Amino acid sequence: MQNMSYKEQLSWKQKRVDILLSRFCRVSPIIGMENPLHYRNKVQAAFGFRRGQIISGVYQSGTHRIVPVDSCMIEDEKADAIIVSIRNLLKSFKITAYDEDSGTGLLRHVLVRRGFKSGQIMVVLVTSSPILPSSKNLVKALLSEHPEITTVVQNVNPYNTNLVLGPNEKPLYGAGYIEDTLCGCVFRISPSSFYQINPVQTEVLYGKAVGLAGLCCNETVIDAYCGIGTIGIVASKSAGNVIGIELNRDAVRDAVSNAKRNGVKNARFFCADAGEFMLEMAKDRQKADVVFMDPPRAGSDEKFLSSLVRLLPQRIVYISCNPETQERDMKYLTKNGYTAKAIQPVDMFPFTHHVETVVLMSRG
Ligand code: SAH
């Protein structure tokens, strides 16, 4: 969206949310960023070849054609620099880039994540085979150029797949994860765990979400699609108890350790499909007062929504990065006894068409 001023981008996004959601309830003015540049704390580069040269960058939209990128105005500058260094080091270590068509070559992707507050940096080298020749020296060379790196992980993805990360990984240097602080809590983040990419706006978003939940003291709270437990752990301070549900095993492990790390004793985390887990809760006649839900772009599903309305929480706080699927799910909840009380868009992704919204729905 470089063709628009930041102000224009915000009104474009406001209009988009208005069109989709204003019939449920008034949409509050979108919260933008003071400085909307270099906000992405996670940078991912695909590696490949062009005319015999190794290139790294992003896929052209809808294709697997790599557009070379050395720096990008929305990405963390340090992360960009690390990726360029890795690309320049490959030749001297005789490491080839992966070629998707022939399935040959070694380095597929590099992922860099930087803790906004902690400054810790994780570099993940995604390779097609477990054998990474002279990995020790490669790490040494990389660290001498960027001593700020706190951990380097090799992830092995041997499959012909669109997924960036494969199932196996091993730390080459450091702990294998980084930590960062959000809303006063410390979070450990593993390579495959989801973590919001815009830390400044995440604090705004979580602040709104927890505020809208109107917790006072002893509520039972569900954090569905909880990732590493961020929302649940932040909310646990003002709730009776928290149940977090997440499908990704590594993220659940992070969530459990994060609760411990922050001295939170009233939160438990479960590795399960959120819909299935809540269906079991409903069958057991368990109750929840407040449900936070933060599903992926595709939104929620029938299983989740039907068990949600059976659990009968007083309030649902629905955080979404896709107002289209959110609108679909809100229609379902509206038909089943819930009313939208507040809609707050937050600009998590300046210079892109994406928009995040947090919606409060109450029973009755
Ligand atoms: N609330 C977290 C994570 C949101 S991203 C945060 O703010 O950081 C959505 C999360 O939903 C991802 O971690 C993904 O692994 C998880 N997920 C996707 N499908 C799921 C399902 N069916 N059941 C439970 N979790 C799911």
Side-chain angles (χ1 to χ4, degrees):
M1 284 187 144
Q2 284 181 88
N3 57 324
M4 283 188 200
S5 71
Y6 188 51
K7 210 168 139 216
E8 284 168 329
Q9 295 173 32
L10 290 176
S11 46
W12 185 91
K13 292 183 190 191
Q14 182 78 38
K15 206 151 122 206
R16 181 153 168 248
V17 179
D18 278 343
I19 290 169
L20 283 162
L21 305 183
S22 65
R23 73 189 152 87
F24 294 105
C25 143
R26 190 186 86 88
V27 179
S28 300
I30 186 167
I31 306 172
M33 291 188 82
E34 218 163 277
N35 174 10
L37 297 175
H38 299 295
Y39 59 85
R40 265 198 86 100
N41 61 3
K42 176 178 118 173
V43 178
Q44 209 160 265
F47 277 69
F49 284 103
R50 174 90 37 91
R51 291 186 210 102
Q53 295 292 326
I54 295 181
I55 53 169
S56 63
V58 297
Y59 290 126
Q60 182 178 343
S61 138
T63 75
H64 272 203
R65 183 182 172 274
I66 295 170
V67 179
V69 172
D70 277 4
S71 66
C72 172
M73 287 172 75
I74 61 169
E75 292 176 350
D76 183 273
E77 289 170 290
K78 189 78 211 170
D80 280 344
I82 290 171
I83 290 168
V84 171
S85 294
I86 292 172
R87 196 183 63 219
N88 292 335
L89 284 171
L90 292 181
K91 214 173 171 188
S92 52
F93 284 90
K94 297 197 172 60
I95 294 170
T96 53
Y98 183 69
D99 177 61
E100 267 191 334
D101 298 327
S102 63
T104 55
L106 189 56
L107 188 66
R108 297 179 68 140
H109 297 271
V110 171
L111 185 156
V112 180
R113 236 179 202 165
R114 182 173 186 206
F116 180 69
K117 295 240 168 83
S118 69
Q120 295 182 14
I121 298 178
M122 169 165 68
V123 175
V124 184
L125 307 170
V126 185
T127 57
S128 58
S129 135
I131 297 150
L132 179 58
S134 45
S135 61
K136 266 205 183 108
N137 288 334
L138 174 66
V139 169
K140 215 166 162 189
L142 189 57
L143 282 167
S144 75
E145 279 185 47
H146 301 282
E148 307 89 338
I149 294 172
T150 46
T151 188
V152 181
V153 176
Q154 181 189 1
N155 175 285
V156 185
N157 187 353
Y159 304 114
N160 182 8
T161 164
N162 280 333
L163 297 178
V164 171
L165 295 178
N168 296 314
E169 63 191 34
K170 67 168 183 209
L172 300 175
Y173 171 76
Y177 58 82
I178 55 165
E179 287 185 336
D180 198 20
T181 302
L182 266 184
C183 304
C185 302
V186 180
F187 294 102
R188 150 183 146 173
I189 312 147
S190 293
S192 75
S193 297
F194 177 90
Y195 188 62
Q196 297 285 355
I197 56 102
N198 184 333
V200 171
Q201 293 297 82
T202 300
E203 288 196 329
V204 174
L205 181 77
Y206 288 175
K208 284 285 166 196
V210 175
L212 286 174
L215 301 170
C216 75
C217 44
N218 54 8
E219 291 91 349
T220 295
V221 171
I222 293 179
D223 179 5
Y225 309 93
C226 69
I228 61 171
T230 43
I231 296 172
I233 287 171
V234 173
S236 69
K237 310 235 151 102
S238 27
N241 65 87
V242 173
I243 297 166
I245 316 158
E246 163 63 46
L247 208 49
N248 178 323
R249 204 165 286 282
D250 289 349
V252 177
R253 206 172 298 137
D254 287 348
V256 170
S257 127
N258 289 334
K260 211 184 258 167
R261 174 85 160 79
N262 291 285
V264 170
K265 298 208 165 70
N266 58 343
R268 285 171 301 156
F269 294 92
F270 299 91
C271 184
D273 171 84
E276 267 165 36
F277 189 90
M278 290 195 2
L279 188 62
E280 291 307 312
M281 280 186 77
K283 279 190 196 153
D284 278 357
R285 297 184 185 282
Q286 293 187 51
K287 288 267 171 275
D289 301 302
V290 174
V291 174
F292 290 96
M293 55 184 286
D294 185 7
R297 235 171 257 169
S300 206
D301 55 18
E302 168 76 29
K303 197 167 21 171
F304 181 93
L305 294 169
S306 61
S307 54
L308 178 59
V309 298
R310 270 178 73 181
L311 277 176
L312 277 180
Q314 201 57 47
R315 292 182 292 286
I316 298 168
V317 179
Y318 187 159
I319 300 154
S320 164
C321 56
N322 182 350
E324 260 122 39
T325 53
Q326 191 176 32
E327 187 257 352
R328 180 198 68 203
D329 296 345
M330 282 171 75
K331 229 170 3 199
Y332 183 101
L333 294 171
T334 306
K335 273 197 200 127
N336 285 278
Y338 285 86
T339 313
K341 299 284 186 192
I343 302 177
Q344 177 66 66
V346 178
D347 191 22
M348 298 283 281
F349 315 103
F351 291 90
T352 79
H353 70 274
H354 295 286
V355 56
E356 189 94 6
T357 40
V358 42
V359 168
L360 169 69
M361 299 194 81
S362 290
R363 209 166 86 203

